[in-house]
Amino acid sequence: MDYAEIVFPVPLAHSFTYEVSPATPLKRGFLVEVPFGRRRAIGVVAEIHQNKPERPTRKVETPLHSEAVVPEFFWEWLGWVSRYYLTPIGEVLASALPSKFFKLRSAKQRPPSIRSSPFAKHWLTEKEIQLNQDQKGILSSLVEQVDKNRFFPSLLFGVTGSGKTEIYLKLLQQVVLKGRSAIFLVPEIGLTPQIVGRFRQVFGEKLALTHSGLTENQRLHEWKRCRDGSARVIVGTRSALFSPFADCGLIVIDEEHDSSYKQEEGFRYHARDLALMRGKIQNSVVLMGSATPSLESFYNARSGKYHLYTLRERAGDAVMPKIRLVDMAAFKRQTKSVLSLCDELHQAIAETLKRKEQVLILINRRGFANSFFCLACEKAFLCPNCSVNLTCHRASKSLLCHYCGYEMGIPQSCPSCASREVTLLGLGTETVEEEIKTWFPKARVARLDRDSAQKKGYLLQTLERLKEGKIDILVGTQMIAKGHDIPGVTLVGVLGIDVGLGLPDFRSAERSYQLLTQVSGRAGRGSAPGRVIVQTFAPNHYSIQCACRGDFEGFFEQELSFRRETGYPPVTRLIQFRFSGTNEKRLADFMRRLGSYLEASMKVHSGPLAGGPAALGPAKAPIEKIRGRFRWQILLKGATINEVQKGASLLASSVERSLPAGVKWAVDVDPLGML
Ligand code: ADP
Ligand code: ZN
Ligand code: ZN
């Protein structure tokens, strides 16, 4: 008699044994619908064996398909992933396979309607680009590696506009010509219509697309096209990594530093690390690219773990923009100005408009102003559910919480002391947009942030209007900083970059460096030179200084020594435990008990964690409350990931044994957001 071990898309670490009816043709990787508890569920066959279980089992009948839906190499790959991220294989598979597979068949099954993507038409280039010497050298080295048919992790560090995208495209073409397939990851597909357009042009029907905007049916359709070989290149956000190409010669991770490669809910994985593991198993070239590599990747490149390619100059005639710093503290002292734009930026905008060129203004915060503040009791207006300031949005005439969406009318008086002396502090995209419209009434001004981009189609339309020169000034959040290649933009103004520097997160300097460099990189990509004006209250901070000089290596050295001193990645490895609960006292008591357990098991010589990783906390999270749930965290830190994983497994089993009702917890391996 055969038995099948079946895993389900649920957070349970073990599989379930079912009896296989003799005539059933079942293999590893097949999908089956079986009784599961009191209901029916769809699971994946993980193993077939002949060991009769002690307890009676239920039966598997006909499988749902006549072949395995999990490609064979997935087991080795995702098995590693599951161990690395301390996440049950069932949950990993649930993220890796189209969700449609796990849906019970309902009466109404509609065939997928596939509309071709609306992205393509506006973004075609007519001219064929000839690679320059540097690009050619890198391309031929990479092609050589693809031919060797082995794992080759590499980092392409090239300044903004150095022509990285052209290298990717030509390399992908080579891979397809050789009869193999390739994956191209982008941070956010809505922000990259240009890349999608170019890819469509080059690969036509051989291109598959995947991103969060697809319906389940569309996603399944694209998955099948990758599976049967009718698609050979897939472009998409992090989930594109799970496309079932049997022979994947190349995985490109464009803008590898981007934090959207990290999944922050449920199964918390980093697409870059999964890509490296997949490449190892499938003998692929894995190419990470960025003008501002993550500390981790550049560290690995320098130590020889990744091959490093460098492009120091912009491609074509374009040159790097000139960056000017304006000390806003001095400006405010001298002028007592209440305006958000300094005189120099104001004048630069006027000049740029006169030349009929375009302006981008980055402001690192949505809405109107940071917060309402009471001058009498000196309190900011906080969200009642989350411990963060409410942000004023004048369009909706309300104060809004950016974490939970809580909304209240704009108050005339302070909710705690009833004083009428309330004032707005700080600035946001809407404040700046309004100010600019007043000063430049003839200019065509648009705003791009998460609020304005909620309207369907707005994002794409705005990027197209910018490209076509129909917008003179675009005000926006980091959305405007990402990857766009708009030759008409010659001036970039940066406001409020310092906000990020004050956050209690060891990556805040790195993020500021990246944001400033990326947004500056939008200026002067065509033949007209670009300039950048940065208003800052921290003109001497090394991340701002280095970004201005375009000195990535200098920044890397300083940041690395800071990480060494404080003991943070890439010098150490981290695993974070997060806890939340609505009952503040119950959560705090539990955290105290866990704290004593940690202390006992680490300090005492014979304790299970002795000599293992260091534990920071339990401590309240920097944002103590979100959506009415109180938050605590424990950070495990060690020299190697193995050591930290061992400690984490022990801690996890202790948490599982003693978890009070109502407390939720999650493990985050290699955490990105520390707030
Ligand atoms: P990156 O991805 O490094 O930011 P892109 O590949 O988007 O840079 O290239 C920036 C601009 O330079 C694009 O408009 C592109 O068409 C152009 N470009 C790239 N390579 C060359 C080249 N060899 N000669 C001329 N222009 C080029
Ligand atoms: Zn007050
Ligand atoms: Zn809130």
Side-chain angles (χ1 to χ4, degrees):
M1 178 63 76
D2 281 352
Y3 297 93
E5 292 301 317
I6 297 179
V7 291
F8 295 93
V10 291
L12 287 173
H14 58 92
S15 56
F16 294 79
T17 312
Y18 286 76
E19 195 180 304
V20 184
S21 315
T24 311
L26 210 59
K27 286 205 192 83
R28 173 150 97 150
F30 274 58
L31 279 185
V32 289
E33 187 189 315
V34 289
F36 183 63
R38 285 201 205 142
R39 55 193 179 98
R40 291 182 73 76
I42 293 178
V44 182
V45 177
E47 203 192 328
I48 304 274
H49 59 82
Q50 277 86 34
N51 310 328
K52 190 173 166 47
E54 279 161 23
R55 289 191 294 154
T57 56
R58 298 202 254 188
K59 271 205 179 85
V60 183
E61 280 129 35
T62 357
L64 293 171
H65 309 268
S66 56
E67 54 176 3
V69 299
V70 182
E72 198 49 35
F73 76 90
F74 266 42
W75 293 105
E76 187 184 354
W77 178 36
L78 299 184
W80 172 85
V81 167
S82 152
R83 288 187 298 279
Y84 185 90
Y85 287 104
L86 309 169
T87 301
I89 185 76
E91 256 189 301
V92 173
L93 280 170
S95 290
L97 296 173
S99 53
K100 188 92 192 178
F101 277 150
F102 294 103
K103 291 278 161 68
L104 294 171
R105 306 256 153 148
S106 60
K108 44 175 196 290
Q109 283 273 326
R110 274 184 295 133
S113 71
I114 308 296
R115 284 170 295 115
S116 72
S117 153
F119 293 123
K121 54 183 184 296
H122 299 267
W123 301 95
L124 307 182
T125 39
E126 302 78 39
K127 54 173 188 185
E128 173 69 19
I129 286 171
Q130 292 300 318
L131 296 188
N132 60 34
Q133 283 308 318
D134 292 346
Q135 288 169 312
K136 270 188 199 153
I138 293 173
L139 176 66
S140 68
S141 160
L142 283 162
V143 170
E144 203 175 296
Q145 293 303 329
V146 171
D147 284 338
K148 285 187 182 153
N149 202 351
R150 57 167 194 168
F151 176 49
F152 184 73
S154 48
L155 175 66
L156 172 53
F157 163 50
V159 299
T160 53
S162 56
K164 298 185 287 298
T165 311
E166 293 305 320
I167 298 180
Y168 303 146
L169 258 177
K170 297 242 156 49
L171 182 60
L172 286 157
Q173 280 177 290
Q174 289 295 318
V175 171
V176 172
L177 272 178
K178 290 169 198 295
R180 306 178 73 186
S181 308
I183 300 172
F184 190 88
L185 298 182
V186 294
E188 273 169 79
I189 220 143
L191 293 175
T192 42
Q194 209 159 359
I195 288 184
V196 175
R198 290 285 325 266
F199 276 62
R200 262 275 149 71
Q201 193 178 13
V202 174
F203 298 108
E205 286 302 304
K206 288 204 179 81
L207 182 73
L209 273 184
T210 179
H211 53 88
S212 58
L214 295 188
T215 65
E216 281 188 331
N217 276 333
Q218 289 170 328
R219 195 180 286 261
L220 181 60
H221 180 79
E222 293 298 80
W223 192 90
K224 286 181 172 157
R225 294 204 312 121
C226 294
R227 170 89 188 223
D228 68 22
S230 56
R232 300 288 286 287
V233 172
I234 189 162
V235 175
T237 47
R238 57 179 183 255
S239 64
L241 194 58
F242 299 113
S243 41
F245 290 134
D247 182 11
C248 179
L250 171 69
I251 305 174
V252 176
I253 304 141
D254 190 20
E255 312 290 2
E256 68 87 30
H257 63 277
D258 199 286
S259 59
S260 55
Y261 285 126
K262 177 78 192 296
Q263 167 130 323
E264 292 288 9
E265 262 161 30
F267 164 35
R268 294 171 158 77
Y269 66 90
H270 201 298
R272 183 180 58 218
D273 299 319
L274 261 63
L276 287 161
M277 197 58 205
R278 179 170 179 167
K280 212 180 254 179
I281 290 170
Q282 285 198 301
N283 295 319
S284 335
V285 168
V286 177
L287 179 60
M288 297 159 263
S290 178
T292 53
S294 61
L295 262 259
E296 281 87 347
S297 296
F298 200 72
Y299 185 74
N300 283 330
R302 268 217 337 201
S303 72
K305 238 175 117 178
Y306 306 158
H307 188 87
L308 180 63
Y309 295 106
T310 311
L311 285 172
R312 297 203 180 270
E313 311 275 336
R314 280 194 160 174
D317 320 323
V319 291
M320 292 301 282
K322 293 217 162 38
I323 305 183
R324 283 259 314 136
L325 284 181
V326 176
D327 181 345
M328 281 308 272
F331 173 74
K332 292 269 173 188
R333 272 195 303 273
Q334 279 160 20
T335 62
K336 305 269 179 294
S337 169
V338 292
L339 296 173
S340 356
L341 301 187
C342 68
D343 299 343
E344 189 172 342
L345 181 53
H346 194 276
Q347 204 180 329
I349 295 176
E351 289 163 12
T352 308
L353 293 177
K354 200 182 274 171
R355 283 198 301 270
K356 306 239 175 299
E357 294 165 359
Q358 293 164 290
V359 183
L360 295 184
I361 304 285
L362 173 86
I363 155 90
N364 206 5
R365 187 178 269 127
R366 291 149 65 200
F368 247 96
N370 179 3
S371 54
F372 260 77
F373 189 80
C374 171
L375 295 170
C377 71
E378 300 190 352
K379 277 192 194 133
F381 291 15
L382 296 182
C383 170
N385 309 317
C386 312
S387 42
V388 294
N389 293 347
L390 294 168
T391 302
C392 177
H393 286 247
R394 210 163 293 175
S396 55
K397 294 196 178 52
S398 64
L399 299 186
L400 199 67
C401 171
H402 285 184
Y403 280 85
C404 73
Y406 172 86
E407 198 170 352
M408 65 183 269
I410 293 177
Q412 300 301 312
S413 58
C414 168
S416 24
C417 77
S419 160
R420 298 182 74 86
E421 276 192 299
V422 290
T423 181
L424 272 172
L425 281 188
L427 43 93
T429 42
E430 292 182 39
T431 336
V432 175
E433 182 192 19
E434 199 164 82
E435 195 176 313
I436 284 179
K437 279 182 172 162
T438 334
W439 283 105
F440 305 101
K442 291 209 189 96
R444 295 162 298 177
V445 182
R447 175 167 58 89
L448 196 56
D449 55 22
R450 236 183 306 155
D451 300 301
S452 65
Q454 262 172 11
K455 236 187 305 163
K456 207 171 164 9
Y458 180 85
L459 176 58
L460 186 63
Q461 262 171 37
T462 307
L463 292 177
E464 277 171 6
R465 281 169 53 219
L466 186 70
K467 176 96 178 169
E468 289 160 7
K470 291 181 182 154
I471 292 174
D472 300 313
I473 307 176
L474 180 64
V475 179
T477 54
Q478 75 336 352
M479 288 173 114
I480 68 169
K482 297 198 174 178
H484 317 297
D485 185 36
I486 314 282
V489 172
T490 56
L491 174 66
V492 169
V494 181
L495 281 59
I497 189 81
D498 338 67
V499 176
L501 286 174
L503 296 174
D505 182 331
F506 72 90
R507 284 196 177 86
S508 57
E510 182 180 355
R511 293 220 179 87
S512 299
Y513 180 89
Q514 289 165 348
L515 182 56
L516 190 47
T517 305
Q518 292 293 344
V519 75
S520 305
R522 300 316 115 208
R525 291 171 76 92
S527 42
R531 62 170 162 165
V532 181
I533 297 176
V534 182
Q535 301 187 176
T536 175
F537 287 93
N540 296 316
H541 193 283
Y542 64 91
S543 88
I544 291 181
Q545 284 283 332
C546 291
C548 281
R549 291 198 303 269
D551 180 11
F552 175 77
E553 277 107 334
F555 170 74
F556 176 81
E557 289 303 339
Q558 289 213 41
E559 184 63 12
L560 189 63
S561 64
F562 160 73
R563 304 281 174 95
R564 279 215 172 90
E565 276 160 35
T566 49
Y568 277 111
V571 186
T572 58
R573 302 299 295 271
L574 303 177
I575 294 183
Q576 185 163 54
F577 281 69
R578 301 212 176 95
F579 302 87
S580 72
T582 48
N583 185 325
E584 188 173 12
K585 183 169 178 309
R586 191 182 298 160
L587 180 62
D589 286 346
F590 176 55
M591 296 318 296
R592 244 186 303 280
R593 286 200 304 280
L594 213 52
S596 323
Y597 163 81
L598 268 176
E599 209 167 310
S601 48
M602 297 183 46
K603 275 223 184 98
V604 183
H605 216 53
S606 54
L609 284 173
L616 282 72
K620 284 185 178 169
I623 299 171
E624 289 180 27
K625 196 167 72 160
I626 293 182
R627 293 187 182 89
R629 299 185 72 86
F630 296 89
R631 306 167 75 234
W632 282 70
Q633 57 198 30
I634 296 174
L635 195 60
L636 297 183
K637 188 196 258 192
T640 65
I641 192 68
N642 273 338
E643 170 191 340
V644 194
Q645 275 162 339
K646 263 184 214 142
S649 308
L650 282 169
L651 181 57
S653 45
S654 162
V655 170
E656 266 163 6
R657 281 195 304 273
S658 55
L659 194 72
V663 172
K664 284 193 200 156
W665 69 292
V667 186
D668 192 351
V669 179
D670 303 323
L672 269 194
M674 305 304 289
L675 303 179

